[in-house]
Amino acid sequence: MRLDHVSTILKREYLTRVKSRGFWIATLVLPVAMAAIVVLPSVIAMKSRGSLRLAVVDELGGVAADLERRLAAPPAAPADGAEALAAGSSPDQRSAISIEAVELTADATALRAELDRRVLAGEVDAWIWISAAGLERDEVEYHAESVSNFMTQERLERALSRAVAQRRLEREGFDVERVTRLVRGVELETVRISETGSRKEAGLAGFFLAYFLFFLLYTVVAIYGQQVMNGVLEEKSSRIVEVLISTVRPSELMVGKLAGIGLAGLTQLGIWMVTMLALSTPGVLGAMMVAGGRLPTVSAGLVVHFLLLFLLGFFLFSSLYATVGAATNNAQEAQQFAGIVVPFLVAPVFFMVPVINDPDSTLSVVASLVPPFTPLLMMLRIAVKTPPAWQILLGYLLTAGFVAGLVWVCARIYRVGILMYGKKPTFGELWRWLRHA
Amino acid sequence: MSGINLEVRGVRKAYDGHVAVDDVSFAVPAGAVYGLLGQNGAGKTTTIRMIMDILAPDRGEVHLFGRARRAEDSRRIGYLPEERGLYRKMTVTDHLLFLAELHGLPARVARPRVDSWLERVELAAWAKTKVEALSKGMQQKIQLVGTVLHEPEVLILDEPFSGLDPINQGLFKEMIADFKRAGRTILFSTHILEQAEKLCDSICLIAKGRVILSGELATIKRERGGDLFEIRFDQPSAPALDGVPGVLSATPHDGAVRLLLAPEARPAEVVAALVAGGARVASFRTLEPDLESIFLQAVRDAA
């Protein structure tokens, strides 16, 4: 194998991709989409919190005032249980709820009609009626034109519950302060242990990170594998392959092609990973916290594993895709043949839930050491809980060995297929090409 | 330059029991324009692919520049396959630079050549255009330029004129003439014998995978001449000629009839027999044979 040949092919494959507009659109869209997924919900929540002007009819007296005090209370850190009982939901989701206490009149029906009129006229947004009878059934009526602003309603409900609870406690002669202190809840503080040291991490965020990396890896391996297949098909159908093969060996062409496209993929993933690393630094994280979400932390080690596993997965599947492209004559035929490759790519998805739930189970360990599954499942295990070093190493070695053998086999079929035109080959013919090439 | 530049020695190639090329040998002298002739399916492309090391012969070998072919010899050859194509998404300049680099030509050397070639084929304005935006004729020009950018010592062209528009055919013939003047060697295959006759110094005729005739065109014509005659009759329709002893074939041509006689036949006796049969012969003369009749006769001889 001549390296100058391989590098000529590699350079063309890499540059034509990296120079294309589509590459950069895709490269930029993902980080923007990631940022949007993290930031947008809180932005939308902030924008949509609006204000709720609430008319309150308080038959019992005192509850309305307590409610107003609770709704106006300054936001508390969500981790503080005692304060949380007083405050309600987290600060960014708070709507401004203004209370207008309405005097109870003798004619309740007329008052209700009047309140409805005021809502329809837009003077208030909603009204509630706190009645002794209602509280017997643990109910407070809420009347509004729109009853779908559930975040605001939930907050109102909580504040109301606490105001009512306080009132009931007082009635029964309890020390409200003391009871509040005694019933405050606890929160799980999740700490992820790994060989490089423990760090605090939100459990849910780590789970999402594992999911995200798994599907990102799956997607890029699939997309770049398809690109290899289409590239081979293009060379074959445009017949330029004959000029190429007259100066470079088919194996050089295939390896250069895989390396060039793989490098383009690595460039794209590298940009994404660096972006994620940058977003994970404490300063940026802090800034994002303000916007509301808790981001999972991404370590450099995780990024390196991700990129290495991408390369293994890419070479594994794209050598198969290259062979499919070489053995067939057009996109339809290629898609039919690619149907044989796809199950191996998709199978890890079925192991996802068991592996996330118990990354050290025999099933998880064995499945993650089966070469076609290793890139995706080992990625998942590393993201969830760092597996023993020997398992990671074994996974890498087995897959690398498998990839080497596969590239060798595929190159032989590729060599024959690339110059074969006409009918779609049968498996028997593929086998013959493999033996005689 | 002198001597033999390219030699094919007893090559054979079989696919799945079908023998495409069987024991083909020929030698291309340095500086020659050499025609590899034969009908479609005769084995021309397979032979050329073996010369280009795209296919490995089952038997026999290819010699280049006076020794067994080496892998790096490809860089000294300009090869235009019968089926042609380009990468659609590349710009004209990038594509040509890529083809040059495939032949070991660094970009810094190739770039000025690309520019001057594009100038010559009147495509300079399209240098930055993607190949897919070019017309078919323009793409053909790019392919031709890509074949010669690295200034190969040997040009190997498989059916170079098939699918070419007239302008590009002219351009191609010009390029072949330039190459010949520069003392380089050209091997091309064609099934159009008239073209070969106009362009070639030497030929190799292949039928059903076997060589049936090869050598210098002038020599072949001289040797094969003498069997071909033209006879004119002074009567409305020519008499039946096929049954006449010594006549291998008779084809009406331009008001006369072309006669191919058996080598052992005596022309005077044939004419005498015709006259005795009542034919009124107006004229009878020997013809310099054209490649087509040589070809047809050679095929017949081989059968």
Side-chain angles (χ1 to χ4, degrees):
Chain A
M1 186 158 307
R2 289 187 50 164
L3 283 182
D4 57 336
H5 288 168
V6 174
S7 87
T8 302
I9 303 291
L10 185 158
K11 214 170 73 185
R12 195 203 79 82
E13 296 292 344
Y14 181 74
L15 288 179
T16 43
R17 277 178 178 75
V18 172
K19 276 183 182 173
S20 80
R21 204 175 301 140
F23 179 87
W24 288 105
I25 291 173
T27 305
L28 294 179
V29 160
L30 188 86
V32 169
M34 282 192 316
I37 287 167
V38 173
V39 174
L40 266 187
S42 46
V43 171
I44 288 170
M46 273 198 285
K47 290 281 179 208
S48 64
R49 71 182 181 184
S51 58
L52 182 76
R53 292 161 301 162
L54 185 69
V56 180
V57 180
D58 182 9
E59 282 185 11
L60 289 80
V63 177
D66 189 19
L67 184 64
E68 189 165 12
R69 187 178 58 75
R70 286 177 185 275
L71 288 172
D80 192 328
E83 293 294 321
L85 187 61
S89 59
S90 61
D92 51 288
Q93 285 148 7
R94 288 165 56 92
S95 316
I97 303 179
S98 59
I99 303 284
E100 181 199 328
V102 177
E103 286 295 313
L104 186 64
T105 53
D107 187 354
T109 320
L111 182 56
R112 282 169 181 272
E114 164 66 7
L115 286 169
D116 281 348
R117 187 198 60 76
R118 289 185 61 195
V119 168
L120 291 174
E123 292 169 24
V124 292
D125 297 311
W127 60 270
I128 57 174
W129 194 290
I130 305 167
S131 65
L135 285 181
E136 285 296 309
R137 302 189 305 272
D138 302 328
E139 278 174 9
V140 174
E141 292 170 54
Y142 177 87
H143 299 252
E145 262 189 298
S146 158
V147 291
S148 59
N149 52 340
F150 54 89
M151 280 189 13
T152 309
Q153 286 173 36
E154 196 183 302
R155 185 164 160 252
L156 177 65
E157 196 173 83
R158 261 191 251 169
L160 205 51
S161 300
R162 284 175 189 133
V164 170
Q166 178 168 357
R167 190 185 168 78
R168 287 174 178 164
L169 287 168
E170 280 168 359
R171 280 254 173 98
E172 303 283 332
F174 288 102
D175 177 350
V176 178
E177 283 293 310
R178 202 167 155 211
V179 170
T180 308
R181 209 166 55 243
L182 290 175
V183 301
R184 79 182 165 211
V186 291
E187 265 197 5
L188 279 184
E189 190 184 66
T190 50
V191 177
R192 217 196 114 169
I193 305 165
S194 68
E195 271 157 24
T196 50
S198 311
R199 62 173 189 271
K200 281 190 191 181
E201 194 174 84
L204 201 61
F207 172 76
F208 277 124
L209 178 69
Y211 250 101
F212 175 74
L213 291 179
F214 180 89
F215 278 110
L216 184 63
L217 195 57
Y218 169 84
T219 311
V220 286
V221 166
I223 287 178
Y224 279 93
Q226 288 271 341
Q227 283 208 23
V228 168
M229 186 174 84
N230 293 337
V232 173
L233 268 179
E234 186 206 353
E235 277 166 1
K236 198 175 166 179
S237 61
S238 77
R239 316 280 169 138
I240 189 153
V241 68
E242 203 162 324
V243 175
L244 301 178
I245 293 300
S246 73
T247 50
V248 306
R249 308 234 131 250
S251 55
E252 292 165 349
L253 177 60
M254 187 172 130
V255 169
K257 190 168 207 59
L258 292 188
I261 297 179
L263 211 57
L266 207 57
T267 305
Q268 192 164 50
L269 284 177
I271 293 171
W272 289 343
M273 288 298 123
V274 167
T275 313
M276 277 180 70
L277 269 180
L279 288 177
S280 284
T281 55
V284 180
L285 259 190
M288 299 293 262
M289 289 283 208
V290 174
R294 269 205 207 179
L295 274 187
T297 48
V298 179
S299 69
L302 190 63
V303 168
V304 170
H305 279 304
F306 184 81
L307 296 180
L308 285 176
L309 287 168
F310 163 71
L311 281 183
L312 282 181
F314 169 78
F315 277 111
L316 202 160
F317 285 100
S318 57
S319 55
L320 289 171
Y321 275 119
T323 309
V324 170
T328 51
N329 298 296
N330 54 51
Q332 288 97 313
E333 277 183 25
Q335 286 305 337
Q336 287 173 22
F337 259 86
I340 303 158
V341 179
V342 170
F344 293 98
L345 186 58
V346 175
V349 175
F350 299 111
F351 290 99
M352 234 180 121
V353 174
V355 169
I356 285 183
N357 285 342
D358 191 356
D360 285 334
S361 69
T362 313
L363 174 72
S364 302
V365 173
V366 170
S368 71
L369 290 176
V370 175
F373 305 158
T374 299
L376 285 172
L377 290 183
M378 195 57 89
M379 185 69 248
L380 196 59
R381 289 186 62 201
I382 292 171
V384 175
K385 170 176 182 261
T386 313
W390 70 266
Q391 288 182 9
I392 299 183
L393 195 68
L394 185 63
Y396 274 116
L397 288 178
L398 283 177
T399 314
F402 184 78
V403 166
L406 193 67
V407 168
W408 184 80
V409 167
C410 288
R412 287 170 80 90
I413 301 178
Y414 178 88
R415 205 156 100 192
V416 181
I418 200 80
L419 289 171
M420 286 282 177
Y421 292 100
K423 66 184 173 61
K424 192 172 69 177
T426 63
F427 284 103
E429 278 166 322
L430 289 180
W431 176 243
R432 216 164 39 240
W433 294 357
L434 176 60
R435 284 188 309 147
H436 291 302
Chain B
M1 275 214 237
S2 64
I4 301 299
N5 232 356
L6 165 63
E7 196 182 352
V8 174
R9 293 186 182 171
V11 295
R12 177 194 161 93
K13 183 78 191 175
Y15 304 104
D16 289 332
H18 159 72
V19 180
V21 171
D22 194 7
D23 196 26
V24 164
S25 299
F26 59 88
V28 181
V33 177
Y34 197 94
L36 189 59
L37 315 179
Q39 285 160 325
N40 292 330
K44 303 188 298 287
T45 296
T46 302
T47 305
I48 285 180
R49 283 181 169 179
M50 286 190 282
I51 296 173
M52 288 314 299
D53 202 20
I54 293 170
L55 293 175
D58 300 336
R59 264 212 305 273
E61 50 191 17
V62 173
H63 281 237
L64 271 167
F65 312 114
R67 47 163 177 71
R69 191 198 199 289
R70 296 177 191 155
E72 64 265 27
D73 286 341
S74 293
R75 297 188 162 190
R76 296 164 72 181
I77 303 174
Y79 170 51
L80 186 73
E82 180 178 8
E83 304 279 3
R84 294 155 217 152
L86 298 167
Y87 287 113
R88 295 166 51 76
K89 298 283 178 193
M90 283 181 102
T91 68
V92 169
T93 303
D94 282 352
H95 206 305
L96 288 174
L97 289 176
F98 168 69
L99 290 175
E101 196 184 324
L102 272 181
H103 292 91
L105 210 61
R108 121 192 88 75
V109 182
R111 201 171 281 278
R113 288 195 202 170
V114 168
D115 291 345
S116 76
W117 266 108
L118 287 180
E119 206 67 58
R120 177 169 168 188
V121 300
E122 294 168 351
L123 284 178
W126 304 84
K128 300 255 178 292
T129 310
K130 281 194 180 156
V131 167
E132 62 188 346
L134 264 53
S135 73
K136 196 146 193 262
M138 290 172 176
Q139 292 189 21
Q140 287 171 352
K141 285 182 181 173
I142 301 299
Q143 280 151 358
L144 304 189
V145 172
T147 311
V148 296
L149 259 183
H150 57 293
E151 299 184 347
E153 291 156 62
V154 176
L155 262 189
I156 296 182
L157 315 166
D158 196 0
E159 294 281 357
F161 299 104
S162 75
L164 283 196
D165 61 36
I167 295 172
N168 285 334
Q169 288 203 16
L171 177 71
F172 217 150
K173 284 177 185 160
E174 213 178 283
M175 278 167 66
I176 289 177
D178 283 357
F179 252 72
K180 189 177 158 65
R181 262 197 299 282
R184 295 166 202 263
T185 311
I186 299 157
L187 169 75
F188 76 93
S189 75
T190 182
H191 66 281
I192 303 167
L193 299 173
E194 287 168 9
Q195 258 167 4
E197 195 160 10
K198 282 179 203 146
L199 293 166
C200 294
D201 307 321
S202 303
I203 57 154
C204 174
L205 274 177
I206 299 184
K208 291 181 183 154
R210 288 176 165 276
V211 176
I212 50 173
L213 184 65
S214 72
E216 231 179 305
L217 191 57
T219 314
I220 292 173
K221 283 194 172 182
R222 205 165 45 242
E223 284 172 358
R224 295 271 158 168
D227 293 341
L228 191 68
F229 299 87
E230 186 192 74
I231 188 163
R232 275 179 195 279
F233 296 99
D234 188 16
Q235 63 194 67
S237 63
L241 290 162
D242 283 334
V244 179
V247 174
L248 290 176
S249 77
T251 39
H253 184 88
D254 209 9
V257 178
R258 286 187 167 183
L259 288 184
L260 183 65
L261 301 188
E264 69 280 2
R266 296 206 182 144
E269 286 175 6
V270 172
V271 176
L274 283 171
V275 171
R280 288 189 292 174
V281 176
S283 72
F284 184 80
R285 64 183 180 100
T286 57
L287 275 183
E288 169 98 312
D290 58 11
L291 208 42
E292 196 172 335
S293 35
I294 293 176
F295 178 77
L296 291 174
Q297 194 193 343
V299 171
R300 203 174 288 119
D301 289 351

